[in-house]
Amino acid sequence: MTKNYIEQYLNAIKNGSCIVSKRCLKQYEQLVDDIKNPKGGYVFDRKRAEKPINFIERFCKHSKGEWAGQPLHLELFQKAFISALFGFVDKKNGNRKYRETLFYVARKNGKSVLLSGIALYMLIADGEPGAEVYSVASKKDQAKIIFNETYNMVRQSPDLLQVVDKRKSDLYFNLTFSKFQPLGKNSDTLDGLNSSLVIIDELHSIKDRNLYEVMQQSQSARRQPLLVMISTAGTVRECIFDDMYKYACGVCDGTIDDPHFLPIIYELDTKEEWLDPMKWEKANPGLNRIKKLDDLMSKVARAKQSPRDLAGLLVKDFNMIQTIGSAWLTFDAINNTETFNIDDFRGFYCIGGADLSRSGDLTAATLLFMDKSEKRYVTQMYFLPKDDFEQRVHDEKIPYDKWLEAGLLRLCEGNSINYSDVTAWFLEMVDKCDVTPAWIYYDPYSAAYWVQEMQGNGFNMVKCHQGVKTLSLPMQQLGQDLTAKKINYNNNPLLKWCITNTGVKTDINGNIQPIKATSPKYRIDGLASLLDAYVGLLDHYNEYLQTL
């Protein structure tokens, strides 16, 4: 029996006939593992996976260009994506596993055709009575691009033309009373929807998160809704795209647990790869089949001579997000699955760090140890206000609830952080684990009351000013030590998440300090707390060695 399309695609990736990004490879490895070793009550149903593929290739035709009127034959990367989206189902009730997906791909790789095919399948053949399919964008003209492509597909197919009617504002399938309609941000029909499929094309162009949230909430009454986002990188930062891209990376990297979100990320792994034609397929899975290779070669040649053209090329053709700050470390550099037992450090001295939130947000406390081999060990605790905790989990789509259950996070009564809870954690570590923080480094901003409390309990508190003069060398050393796997942080997913959210700001002298790489809700407090402790480690390195 032939392998399913997901396994076929992974085999093609591994034998080198298809070239993909590291995250894309990791995701398909995970999907194949989920097929062979089902988890969480979900199994792979090959018939369900191939049903939309068979529908698209049987009934859908190209609507324009040199292939107009010809049957639509999906590429292997498209078949693998559709198979994953529709093939994993709950073994008890048959409902689909995946409810939301980000398909991140460079322009001119057949995304409009792919979306139109999925839209027609969901309108006609998915089996959902009264299906409501919507193409959504910040402007209705943008939303009409997928709608018009879908209608043109219908016009090219005698079979579809017999069963799908074009009405004033939608396409209508009478047999199940289903419709497909384009919607803009300012549409009067956004309230009261009961959508089964929502398509958001070019997510990067949507600045208002509310549009995404309204459409997501419109699916709450459906048994197996689907929200499909397809986008290139775009140039507008701090928008819904940044949030969803970061979330997709977190799911793919394993720092965020969301079994219903499918991230498929086609991008260059490093900026320098735009100069290597052998790496271009990482962001362009349809290269030389859907997307013309000679056209991309011409754009690259022009960009080599023009910085202005280069910025657009990197964003649109290679999915390299352009921001003011640059990423600090790659996930491979950050990731370390080693663990340790805190009891092994009974009787040890350690160095503390604390990042107190300036509002009601995340606060982090750190203890840093070192052994005779000079390897570092990190244990942490995080704090959030209790009053809005559940709402925060729901709104921000950050798994704080999972981290709370795992004991990595504590809640403070009320709507703000109680710094006495931070003091209590340090005292608890001293008491229960028999460790001695020799110095605790802290950001002095708004910390006066807490410092007095800590000093009253016998802790040696040291100010750690948050500027390049103080942080640059420790941050550089911390980055080197993380990359060298010299820091064992007990595989703490919350700290790992904070480090992946960290960008770097560089001054004219090459000094660096941490900044948030994306949306404000993606916190770096765990990294800031660890960095404060690292300042202390470098300040007292020789003294610390003498205690070992």
Side-chain angles (χ1 to χ4, degrees):
M1 185 177 179
T2 59
K3 293 182 181 295
N4 62 67
Y5 292 121
I6 298 173
E7 292 179 291
Q8 288 183 39
Y9 190 43
L10 181 60
N11 288 343
I13 294 169
K14 291 191 170 182
N15 68 29
S17 57
C18 292
I19 302 170
V20 301
S21 67
K22 291 179 181 178
R23 284 195 172 103
C24 190
L25 168 60
K26 185 173 183 178
Q27 184 58 49
Y28 276 103
E29 287 178 332
Q30 183 62 60
L31 289 169
V32 169
D33 184 67
D34 289 344
I35 292 171
K36 296 179 178 179
N37 305 290
K39 305 176 188 70
Y42 295 98
V43 296
F44 183 74
D45 185 327
R46 183 165 179 170
K47 289 184 178 179
R48 291 280 295 274
E50 295 182 3
K51 183 181 175 184
I53 296 170
N54 294 335
F55 173 88
I56 292 170
E57 294 195 324
R58 179 178 178 183
F59 295 110
C60 297
K61 300 181 185 297
H62 289 281
S63 64
K64 56 188 175 182
E66 58 186 295
W67 298 304
Q70 299 297 313
L72 179 57
H73 296 295
L74 296 169
E75 295 286 332
L76 180 56
F77 78 90
Q78 296 171 321
K79 291 180 179 180
F81 169 62
I82 293 173
S83 294
L85 203 55
F86 289 89
F88 288 95
V89 298
D90 189 314
K91 63 182 178 182
K92 292 182 179 178
N93 58 30
N95 290 341
R96 284 190 297 269
K97 174 182 179 180
Y98 292 113
R99 300 169 190 167
E100 195 168 346
T101 181
L102 175 63
F103 191 80
Y104 185 51
V105 65
R107 62 181 168 185
K108 301 298 182 182
N109 280 277
K111 61 182 178 63
S112 295
V113 172
L114 177 65
L115 288 172
S116 296
I118 292 174
L120 281 171
Y121 172 76
M122 292 286 284
L123 178 71
I124 296 170
D126 190 48
E128 185 80 8
E132 295 183 19
V133 177
Y134 297 104
S135 172
V136 184
S138 56
K139 295 182 180 179
K140 197 166 185 178
D141 286 346
Q142 175 70 30
K144 282 184 175 180
I145 293 175
I146 299 300
F147 177 81
N148 291 337
E149 174 69 22
T150 305
Y151 178 50
N152 289 335
M153 271 189 180
V154 171
R155 294 175 62 192
Q156 292 284 353
S157 171
D159 293 318
L160 296 180
L161 200 55
Q162 289 184 31
V163 297
V164 177
D165 296 322
K166 172 68 168 69
R167 303 193 300 191
K168 182 178 180 180
S169 62
D170 63 23
L171 297 178
Y172 187 68
F173 181 57
N174 185 64
L175 188 61
T176 58
F177 309 105
S178 300
K179 67 176 183 178
F180 175 29
Q181 183 177 352
L183 296 175
K185 174 184 176 182
N186 298 321
S187 173
D188 295 332
T189 57
L190 286 181
D191 293 326
L193 303 178
N194 184 25
S195 55
S196 49
L197 169 66
V198 173
I199 295 170
I200 303 179
D201 186 20
E202 298 299 3
L203 182 69
H204 67 82
S205 67
I206 297 176
K207 299 178 183 179
D208 183 5
R209 183 183 180 90
N210 183 63
L211 179 60
Y212 160 81
E213 292 177 343
V214 167
M215 296 311 299
Q216 185 189 50
Q217 291 166 7
S218 74
Q219 300 187 306
S220 59
R222 294 286 181 176
R223 292 181 301 108
Q224 45 180 0
L226 185 57
L227 193 155
V228 179
M229 297 168 285
I230 294 190
S231 189
T232 58
T235 57
V236 179
R237 300 278 65 84
E238 302 303 332
C239 61
I240 178 63
F241 167 80
D242 278 354
D243 287 354
M244 297 313 303
Y245 172 75
K246 192 70 180 179
Y247 191 81
C249 290
V251 174
C252 190
D253 292 340
T255 60
I256 294 177
D257 179 24
D258 187 342
H260 304 299
F261 190 100
L262 176 64
I264 302 294
I265 300 174
Y266 291 100
E267 62 184 357
L268 298 187
D269 291 311
T270 64
K271 181 179 178 180
E272 293 73 22
E273 289 179 339
W274 77 277
L275 294 168
D276 185 354
M278 297 302 295
K279 304 295 175 59
W280 293 351
E281 191 181 335
K282 289 185 176 184
N284 297 277
L287 189 62
N288 214 25
R289 297 180 304 280
I290 301 173
K291 184 169 184 170
K292 296 184 182 300
L293 177 60
D294 57 353
D295 181 59
L296 183 56
M297 291 178 69
S298 296
K299 290 179 180 177
V300 170
R302 185 167 55 196
K304 289 179 180 179
Q305 309 299 321
S306 170
R308 182 176 298 179
D309 289 332
L310 176 58
L313 177 82
L314 291 175
V315 169
K316 293 292 187 180
D317 289 287
F318 294 122
N319 272 348
M320 297 301 295
I321 296 174
Q322 301 295 290
T323 58
I324 296 173
S326 58
W328 180 37
L329 299 173
T330 66
F331 182 77
D332 287 342
I334 296 165
N335 190 38
N336 186 353
T337 58
E338 290 182 342
T339 59
F340 68 92
N341 190 332
I342 190 68
D343 288 337
D344 293 339
F345 291 92
R346 287 188 172 276
F348 272 61
Y349 285 90
C350 56
I351 299 174
D355 185 73
L356 306 179
S357 62
R358 300 180 183 184
S359 61
D361 290 327
L362 195 62
T363 283
T366 297
L367 288 179
L368 173 65
F369 300 85
M370 191 163 64
D371 63 16
K372 291 183 178 180
S373 71
E374 300 186 32
K375 187 167 184 175
R376 291 83 157 115
Y377 299 83
V378 175
T379 189
Q380 289 189 320
M381 183 54 65
Y382 293 79
F383 304 84
L384 277 174
K386 186 175 183 180
D387 281 2
D388 65 346
F389 180 72
E390 292 184 5
Q391 190 66 39
R392 183 190 299 269
V393 171
H394 178 269
D395 291 347
E396 297 182 6
K397 295 177 71 68
I398 305 299
Y400 291 124
D401 54 339
K402 302 294 184 184
W403 294 330
L404 178 65
E405 292 174 9
L408 304 173
L409 174 69
R410 294 181 180 180
L411 298 183
C412 302
E413 293 293 335
N415 60 4
S416 63
I417 299 296
N418 184 346
Y419 294 159
S420 292
D421 291 344
V422 182
T423 303
W425 180 77
F426 279 109
L427 289 171
E428 180 182 314
M429 297 302 292
V430 171
D431 222 24
K432 293 185 178 180
C433 301
D434 189 24
V435 299
T436 303
W439 308 271
I440 295 179
Y441 277 62
Y442 67 95
D443 177 358
Y445 184 89
S446 298
Y449 164 75
W450 180 68
V451 171
Q452 292 176 10
E453 183 180 71
M454 289 288 283
Q455 289 173 333
N457 282 282
F459 291 106
N460 184 11
M461 306 299 292
V462 184
K463 292 180 181 179
C464 184
H465 294 284
Q466 306 296 294
V468 293
K469 183 177 180 180
T470 303
L471 300 180
S472 183
L473 287 177
M475 188 175 180
Q476 292 177 48
Q477 186 63 55
L478 176 58
Q480 292 172 11
D481 290 345
L482 283 166
T483 303
K485 310 305 177 192
K486 199 173 180 178
I487 301 175
N488 182 336
Y489 51 84
N490 240 350
N491 200 24
N492 185 329
L494 219 169
L495 174 58
K496 193 179 299 187
W497 177 68
C498 286
I499 301 175
T500 62
N501 295 336
T502 303
V504 61
K505 181 180 179 181
T506 306
D507 68 12
I508 58 174
N509 297 314
N511 297 311
I512 64 172
Q513 66 183 98
I515 59 172
K516 292 177 182 178
T518 55
S519 168
K521 76 173 187 177
Y522 288 101
R523 311 297 301 177
I524 66 170
D525 307 85
L527 177 278
S529 175
L530 173 57
L531 183 56
D532 286 346
Y534 235 72
V535 173
L537 178 65
L538 297 190
D539 282 351
H540 301 281
Y541 200 83
N542 291 329
E543 294 173 75
Y544 193 100
L545 285 177
Q546 293 175 12
T547 69
L548 300 176

